[in-house]
Amino acid sequence: MRPTIALWAAVLFLGLQLSASFSDSIVDRSSQNLSSVPRDLPHTTESLDLSCNHIQKLHRGDFKNTTLLRILNISWNSLEEIDPETFLDTPLLEDLDLSHNMLKNLLDQRYLLHADNLLVLNLACNKFLTMTLGSEFSSLVKLERLALGAKNISVGDFKNIAEVKLHTLTLSLEDDLGYEAGSLKDVHAQKLQIDLTRNQIIVHDLLADGLSLFAELELINLRKGYKDLSDQLKARKEIYTSSLYLTNISIKWPDLTHFVKVVLNTSIAHLYTADVVLNDLPQTDTEGETASKMKSFRVRRVVVKSFFFSQEAVYNFFINTPVDTLAIIDSPIIYMTCPKSQSRVLHLDFSYCALSDSIFSRVVGQETIECENLDNLRNLDLVGNNLKSLHLLSKRTHNMKSLRHLDLGLNSLVYDGVEECFWPPNITNMSLYSNGLTDSVFKCLPKGTEILDLQNNQISVIPSTILKLENLSSLNLNANRLRDLPGCNGFPILNALFLKSNSLHTPSVNKLKSCSRLKTLDVSSNPFTCTCGLKSFINLGIKSENQESDTGIELLSWPSDYRCAYPEVNRESTLNTILIPEVSCNVGLLATTILCPAVAMIILVMVLCHRLDVPWYMGMIWKWTRAKHRARMRQVRPEDLVGIEFHAFVSYSQHDADWVHNSLIPNLEGPSGGLRICHHEKHFVAGKSIIENIITSVEKSRRSLFVLSAHFVKSEWCHYELYFASHQHLTQGSDSVVLVLLEPLPQYLIPSKYYQLKSMMSRHTYIEWPQDRAKHRLFWANLRAALQADLPNAPVTELEE
């Protein structure tokens, strides 16, 4: 127990250290009314936020204790001056935000000489009158993103960054901007962002330079001037820009449709709009273009401000746009119409909208008409909508003959397994993750599927009667309810199988024998039961780790994500560290291990018992115990003991008289025995006949003791004594006769006239006289117990005197 506690303590301590380290590396001192850089910053600080304070000046040594600083945000302060050696102690600084301050001269930013590792620099929204960059900007050879703003931009302002290969240049424009055409020719950047102030119209010459010098152009916060923008695009014969972005805009429907139609007739290949506020939506269809060179049109996060409009008119405009890729993402559209004619669109993306199962279809009377004008569609992405019926979705897509990739993840799809599905024939990639699908989904899948994603559903087993997917190479069943590995009878060429986070306790490796093509297997993060049933799976993992598997299967995330859930003693232990003894798993070996010593022990005990006469001792003890028990339990009426003077009458052959006189009587009578014994030599009365004496002696005795031997069965008088005693046995009960076998007496030696003796020997347990002297003591104790009885007072005998 102590090592376990110590281990947990170490893990907890390490976690606290990591947490503390993480919190010390990111420091937020924003909005704390600071007038200078704090002096108590941790030495481990890597990201520091000092925004929204009142810092007016940065001094040398302000960051001497933060040598690991990579990200610094001092925006929204009152910063007017920065010491040239401010960043002398921060050689790792990569991201510097000085926007929304009071800096006045871009020619005098000498602190940049000690920040030559900068990747991002934001100087927008300061008090710069001109955009002329000082020579220190030329040292920023690693710079990727630069944001600037000034009232006037002239030719030559950017000559000091002519050798810097930027990815993005952001110009934050102010009202009444003075811009000289050609001012951006010294800038080498992939993308130009023009961030407008509210209700500002973009400068004609700036837009012209943007369209002629940059591959990507983004207009931010555009609120008006769309007609001028459209006219300028229409008037240009050559446009270098291939991707045009409109971000955070507000636009009316006529302006949007006119602008889109203009762009469709230019060389711009990609049009992206995001965070759009749409006004004045139509009541009737808007005529659109039928052809264009544009490849993609993407719309993200649209907010509609009109309450009365035709949704069908809006959807018709978008779905009929002549592009290869059309995407409307994260917008509240609840329906999508079918193109009016055969569409050229290859990729449709309607992710995170509110689409229902009626997508692309229309109802005429009582009949549902499916869409037939998306024959060229190859990719359809419907992630995160309100789709519910997998069967209906198969009908919606049935006529999309070229469809290969279909993503229906993050919906509420179910399938009851009753109705037949009608998928198009060419689907190869099917994504159905995060739905409510059960085992029956395997009856409603495209036959040609090669890659199938069913993770995060409610599948508990793959039915044996599933539709055979002969082309399936990858199957993802992560986060379902599977309790065992599936076989590959329905997937003959399956190459990759993912079963992470299911309910697999003891995976049956034998089922993988049907997966002859399987190379990649992920069974991590399952609640493994580390008992014998898991031994073969552990061997598979170890062979995979050592690349010795005869099946060639690679077990992903082994061994770190394969841990025991049961038994408790092995909980959270990785499977490769668990030792399961072979003897506890192999039934034959276990039986051999247990039975062999047990059999040997039994044989040894039997031999010892035989050699030590244990059975005899046990038999004698058992007889003694029974005799004592009968003596305690027996209830004899006083009147039955009237006239009883002796505990036993002894009948024996004269040839055995020596044993009776020398052994039997001394051990039963006197101080050692305490019994009264009647025998003919002492107690027969002279003058009476022998028969009368026998009858009298038997009647006066509580029991009759017969000393059996070969001589006994030959004695005529012994026969008489036995005869009369047998009659007493009938009247007094089964315990009135006690047999002592003095020597072995086989049944065949007993004459037929001794039938009473044969009967008694077969019904009563007799006491054998042992030849071994060590056993004599137990013999006498047993015999005395058999004869013991409480007798009434009797006349005193000579022996007692």
Side-chain angles (χ1 to χ4, degrees):
M1 181 60 73
R2 288 181 179 177
T4 303
I5 295 175
L7 178 61
W8 276 108
V11 171
L12 180 61
F13 178 73
L14 179 60
L16 291 174
Q17 278 192 323
L18 290 174
S19 177
S21 175
F22 181 76
S23 62
D24 287 345
S25 66
I26 300 178
V27 179
D28 185 359
R29 298 291 179 88
S30 63
S31 302
Q32 294 187 4
N33 202 29
L34 300 174
S35 60
S36 62
V37 177
R39 300 297 181 183
D40 59 346
L41 297 174
H43 295 286
T44 56
T45 301
E46 296 183 20
S47 176
L48 176 60
D49 188 352
L50 296 173
S51 63
C52 302
N53 283 292
H54 302 288
I55 300 173
Q56 294 183 342
K57 185 176 180 179
L58 295 180
H59 305 83
R60 177 181 178 179
D62 280 349
F63 303 102
K64 65 180 180 180
N65 292 327
T66 56
T67 56
L68 301 178
L69 190 64
R70 294 180 180 274
I71 302 173
L72 176 60
N73 183 357
I74 317 182
S75 63
W76 296 97
N77 277 270
S78 303
L79 197 60
E80 297 178 357
E81 185 180 350
I82 303 176
D83 188 281
E85 296 185 347
T86 296
F87 301 113
L88 186 64
D89 301 311
T90 57
L92 303 178
L93 189 63
E94 296 177 347
D95 190 332
L96 177 60
D97 189 348
L98 299 171
S99 64
H100 298 90
N101 279 289
M102 307 295 288
L103 300 174
K104 297 177 181 179
N105 190 357
L106 280 170
L107 281 171
D108 187 24
Q109 307 294 318
R110 288 176 294 167
Y111 57 87
L112 295 176
L113 294 173
H114 299 292
D116 52 3
N117 281 317
L118 278 179
L119 301 177
V120 179
L121 175 60
N122 190 349
L123 289 166
C125 301
N126 277 277
K127 298 298 182 179
F128 302 127
L129 294 176
T130 63
M131 190 65 80
T132 307
L133 303 182
S135 60
E136 53 272 6
F137 280 89
S138 62
S139 65
L140 306 178
V141 294
K142 297 181 179 180
L143 197 63
E144 297 177 357
R145 301 176 66 89
L146 175 61
L148 299 166
K151 283 186 173 296
N152 296 285
I153 304 176
S154 304
V155 174
D157 283 348
F158 297 98
K159 64 180 180 180
N160 283 319
I161 60 169
E163 301 301 321
V164 179
K165 305 298 182 182
L166 295 173
H167 179 273
T168 303
L169 173 64
T170 302
L171 298 179
S172 182
L173 303 187
E174 301 182 16
D175 293 334
D176 301 323
L177 172 70
Y179 182 82
E180 185 180 358
S183 297
L184 296 176
K185 65 180 181 180
D186 292 324
V187 177
H188 295 89
Q190 172 72 19
K191 185 176 184 179
L192 174 64
Q193 288 181 329
I194 301 176
D195 188 357
L196 305 168
T197 58
R198 190 171 186 84
N199 296 320
Q200 185 179 12
I201 299 176
I202 188 169
V203 177
H204 183 280
D205 290 335
L206 175 58
L207 179 61
D209 283 352
L211 293 171
S212 61
L213 297 173
F214 300 92
E216 299 179 32
L217 176 62
E218 182 174 3
L219 304 178
I220 305 173
N221 296 323
L222 193 61
R223 295 291 185 270
K224 60 183 181 178
Y226 291 104
K227 185 178 184 304
D228 293 338
L229 177 60
S230 300
D231 291 344
Q232 190 170 351
L233 288 172
K234 185 186 293 186
R236 294 190 65 86
K237 293 182 179 180
E238 293 184 6
I239 297 177
Y240 178 72
T241 299
S242 61
S243 298
L244 179 60
Y245 299 80
L246 300 180
T247 304
N248 193 25
I249 66 172
S250 178
I251 191 170
K252 296 179 180 180
W253 178 258
D255 291 335
L256 175 64
T257 54
H258 178 65
F259 177 76
V260 171
K261 286 189 283 186
V262 170
V263 174
L264 289 172
N265 287 289
T266 66
S267 61
I268 294 175
H270 308 284
L271 177 60
Y272 301 88
T273 62
D275 300 309
V276 180
V277 177
L278 201 53
N279 298 284
D280 296 345
L281 273 72
Q283 296 290 345
T284 60
D285 282 352
T286 303
E287 185 179 353
E289 296 294 319
T290 58
S292 77
K293 296 180 180 179
M294 194 163 74
K295 294 182 179 180
S296 66
F297 179 27
R298 300 178 184 272
V299 181
R300 183 184 294 271
R301 291 187 297 275
V302 177
V303 176
V304 176
K305 292 296 185 179
S306 299
F307 292 99
F308 302 101
F309 64 94
S310 171
Q311 293 189 38
E312 187 172 346
V314 174
Y315 301 151
N316 280 338
F317 177 79
F318 285 109
I319 198 65
N320 288 289
T321 304
V323 291
D324 293 338
T325 300
L326 174 64
I328 302 177
I329 302 170
D330 198 10
S331 300
I333 61 173
I334 61 175
Y335 179 68
M336 182 50 64
T337 57
C338 179
K340 293 182 179 180
S341 60
Q342 199 59 242
S343 175
R344 65 172 261 198
V345 68
L346 302 176
H347 310 281
L348 278 180
D349 187 351
F350 298 132
S351 301
Y352 304 102
C353 293
L355 296 171
S356 65
D357 295 339
S358 60
I359 183 173
F360 302 130
S361 65
R362 59 191 176 93
V363 178
V364 178
Q366 299 295 324
E367 184 180 1
T368 300
I369 307 300
E370 305 296 347
C371 182
E372 298 182 354
N373 293 328
L374 288 169
D375 280 358
N376 295 314
L377 187 63
R378 297 178 184 175
N379 295 348
L380 178 58
D381 193 337
L382 299 175
V383 173
N385 282 278
N386 291 330
L387 306 176
K388 297 182 178 180
S389 173
L390 189 62
H391 165 252
L392 288 179
L393 261 296
S394 72
K395 297 175 70 174
R396 299 292 99 93
T397 60
H398 178 63
N399 296 317
M400 301 175 185
K401 305 301 182 183
S402 301
L403 188 62
R404 295 180 61 84
H405 301 272
L406 178 59
D407 194 340
L408 299 173
L410 290 170
N411 280 281
S412 302
L413 291 172
V414 295
Y415 176 65
D416 57 12
V418 177
E419 297 175 290
E420 184 180 357
C421 295
F422 303 94
W423 298 107
N426 294 317
I427 293 181
T428 58
N429 192 325
M430 186 83 161
S431 294
L432 293 166
Y433 58 90
S434 299
N435 281 285
L437 298 168
T438 59
D439 310 343
S440 60
V441 68
F442 288 96
K443 298 179 181 179
C444 183
L445 293 172
K447 294 182 180 180
T449 304
E450 297 176 5
I451 300 175
L452 179 59
D453 187 350
L454 283 167
Q455 63 179 315
N456 195 25
N457 278 282
Q458 300 180 30
I459 300 170
S460 58
V461 67
I462 296 180
S464 58
T465 58
I466 64 169
L467 175 71
K468 193 168 186 179
L469 302 177
E470 296 184 348
N471 298 325
L472 189 66
S473 62
S474 176
L475 176 58
N476 190 336
L477 289 168
N478 290 343
N480 275 276
R481 301 178 179 180
L482 292 170
R483 294 185 174 275
D484 202 354
L485 294 174
C488 297
N489 295 325
F491 325 119
I493 65 169
L494 189 66
N495 181 267
L497 179 59
F498 304 94
L499 301 170
K500 182 178 180 179
S501 300
N502 274 272
S503 299
L504 280 75
H505 297 278
T506 53
S508 302
V509 177
N510 288 336
K511 292 191 175 182
L512 297 179
K513 292 180 180 179
S514 61
C515 304
S516 58
R517 302 281 191 92
L518 189 63
K519 298 301 178 185
T520 303
L521 177 63
D522 187 355
V523 199
S524 60
S525 302
N526 274 280
F528 296 107
T529 299
C530 295
T531 54
C532 292
L534 198 64
K535 194 172 181 64
S536 57
F537 181 78
I538 294 176
N539 292 335
L540 175 66
I542 294 174
K543 289 181 179 180
S544 172
E545 181 181 9
N546 299 329
Q547 297 182 345
E548 298 175 355
S549 175
D550 50 358
T551 61
I553 295 176
E554 177 189 3
L555 207 57
L556 299 184
S557 302
W558 175 273
S560 59
D561 292 339
Y562 293 77
R563 298 179 181 274
C564 295
Y566 180 85
E568 193 67 29
V569 67
N570 293 325
R571 190 175 181 85
E572 293 303 317
S573 299
T574 55
L575 300 192
N576 64 332
T577 63
I578 298 300
L579 179 62
I580 303 177
E582 182 66 30
V583 67
S584 65
C585 302
N586 189 319
V587 176
L589 183 60
L590 179 63
T592 301
T593 305
I594 296 175
L595 291 179
C596 288
V599 171
M601 182 62 69
I602 292 172
I603 294 174
L604 178 62
V605 169
M606 291 177 65
V607 171
L608 290 175
C609 288
H610 179 73
R611 296 293 298 271
L612 300 175
D613 292 325
V614 172
W616 184 89
Y617 282 104
M618 296 299 295
M620 293 298 286
I621 292 173
W622 172 245
K623 293 174 184 177
W624 178 85
T625 302
R626 288 186 63 190
K628 286 292 186 180
H629 178 72
R630 285 196 300 267
R632 286 195 301 269
M633 300 301 295
R634 186 185 305 117
Q635 296 181 356
V636 182
R637 295 175 300 178
E639 55 269 23
D640 293 338
L641 296 177
V642 175
I644 301 299
E645 300 178 7
F646 302 98
H647 287 90
F649 165 68
V650 180
S651 175
Y652 56 92
S653 169
Q654 195 62 34
H655 291 87
D656 302 320
D658 291 341
W659 182 82
V660 171
H661 294 154
N662 298 328
S663 297
L664 179 66
I665 294 177
N667 280 285
L668 296 182
E669 290 186 336
S672 60
L675 302 177
R676 301 175 188 154
I677 303 301
C678 175
H679 53 98
H680 66 274
E681 294 178 351
K682 183 177 180 180
H683 296 100
F684 276 17
V685 179
K688 288 186 178 182
S689 66
I690 294 177
I691 297 298
E692 288 179 321
N693 276 306
I694 292 175
I695 292 173
T696 301
S697 297
V698 169
E699 290 177 346
K700 290 182 178 182
S701 300
R702 178 72 180 86
R703 294 177 178 83
S704 296
L705 174 63
F706 294 94
V707 179
L708 305 180
S709 66
H711 301 292
F712 181 89
V713 297
K714 295 178 181 179
S715 171
E716 194 68 28
W717 295 114
C718 289
H719 177 253
Y720 286 120
E721 292 171 351
L722 181 63
Y723 174 79
F724 291 118
S726 64
H727 283 281
Q728 187 189 36
H729 164 72
L730 294 175
T731 58
Q732 293 187 3
S734 59
D735 61 343
S736 63
V737 175
V738 178
L739 305 178
V740 173
L741 191 62
L742 192 60
E743 61 184 16
L745 186 63
Q747 290 279 334
Y748 65 87
L749 293 179
I750 302 175
S752 57
K753 65 180 180 178
Y754 279 87
Y755 64 90
Q756 295 100 335
L757 178 61
K758 289 183 178 181
S759 177
M760 289 181 184
M761 291 184 68
S762 63
R763 294 195 308 269
H764 297 276
T765 302
Y766 47 83
I767 303 175
E768 296 183 58
W769 167 251
Q771 299 300 319
D772 188 353
R773 293 180 60 87
K775 301 176 182 179
H776 289 176
R777 188 172 181 181
L778 184 57
F779 171 83
W780 296 122
N782 196 6
L783 184 56
R784 285 193 291 268
L787 299 177
Q788 187 66 47
D790 294 329
L791 301 182
N793 293 331
V796 179
T797 63
E798 295 177 2
L799 180 61
E800 291 170 336
E801 293 176 353

